[in-house]
Amino acid sequence: MFADVEGLEEEKIESEQKITPASFGGPAPTPAQIARLPKPKVHKNPKDIWDVDELDDDVTDDVDDGRERPRYEFLYRQAVGTEDAYLGMSGKDPSSTCCEEIILRVDLPGTASMAELELDVQATYIRLESPLYKLAMYLPHTVDSEKGQAKWDSKKEALSIIMPIIRKDLAEQFAEA
């Protein structure tokens, strides 16, 4: 009686070993067959503000090369006269929308002079490199890169980059869109 049960169990084990997940379906497709398959359709979300293809990204140096990212801060500056401070005649307010310049202050401890720095300012992007630090980022506003100034403070070991903000008229912004 036990011999019959053992024989059945051996047959079940042999039959189970023959059937694997790879046993189902046809043979695996060749690379040429895979290349001929249609590409999957990318469904776009109708609520997306922009498409990735629309972005103009000319930044090629945004690679981490082991250098430290320095501490930095953005400051805004506006030209305010007595008529603005006491009488409010020009309509300027303290918000950043009325500022004429943006200042990027970067702390670079261990940097001896401005000669060690490489600075590249574009209209919407800035890149600052030294032997110890690397800062590459987009700016919060479009700036006039030709009229900017950079000042080195050797006591604080900090670089201040002053960039005039380019403000477009509201009508111009809607005309471009």
Side-chain angles (χ1 to χ4, degrees):
M1 182 167 184
F2 288 112
D4 292 335
V5 173
E6 287 179 11
L8 289 174
E9 288 179 9
E10 287 177 13
E11 288 178 20
K12 283 184 183 178
I13 292 171
E14 287 178 14
S15 65
E16 288 176 5
Q17 290 175 351
K18 292 179 183 176
I19 299 175
T20 64
S23 303
F24 296 99
T30 64
Q33 291 172 331
I34 293 173
R36 286 187 298 220
L37 291 174
K39 301 291 182 209
K41 293 182 180 179
V42 178
H43 297 286
K44 294 183 180 180
N45 186 353
K47 294 183 180 181
D48 284 347
I49 298 172
W50 65 80
D51 189 14
V52 175
D53 299 334
E54 296 173 350
L55 297 177
D56 185 26
D57 192 10
D58 294 335
V59 179
T60 57
D61 64 344
D62 197 19
V63 178
D64 183 17
D65 59 1
R67 288 183 280 181
E68 186 179 342
R69 186 178 181 133
R71 187 182 157 280
Y72 65 90
E73 65 179 335
F74 284 104
L75 304 168
Y76 292 91
R77 182 173 18 186
Q78 58 178 260
V80 179
T82 55
E83 68 276 359
D84 299 317
Y86 297 110
L87 302 173
M89 294 176 62
S90 69
K92 289 184 180 180
D93 60 24
S95 71
S96 64
T97 57
C98 293
C99 294
E100 288 91 17
E101 294 176 333
I102 186 170
I103 302 168
L104 176 60
R105 187 173 298 153
V106 185
D107 294 329
L108 300 162
T111 305
S113 69
M114 196 168 170
E116 296 180 21
L117 303 176
E118 182 180 328
L119 178 65
D120 181 25
V121 179
Q122 302 296 322
T124 59
Y125 189 78
I126 190 164
R127 183 179 52 84
L128 174 67
E129 292 184 8
S130 77
L132 300 173
Y133 301 100
K134 180 177 179 181
L135 178 66
M137 67 179 171
Y138 286 98
L139 296 169
H141 299 283
T142 304
V143 298
D144 188 353
S145 60
E146 300 297 322
K147 295 182 181 176
Q149 300 174 9
K151 295 181 182 178
W152 175 252
D153 186 353
S154 58
K155 291 180 184 175
K156 295 181 180 178
E157 294 181 335
L159 180 69
S160 295
I161 306 159
I162 303 165
M163 302 165 280
I165 298 174
I166 298 175
R167 299 274 185 206
K168 293 184 180 179
D169 189 6
L170 198 56
E172 290 177 28
Q173 289 179 357
F174 285 117
E176 289 180 359

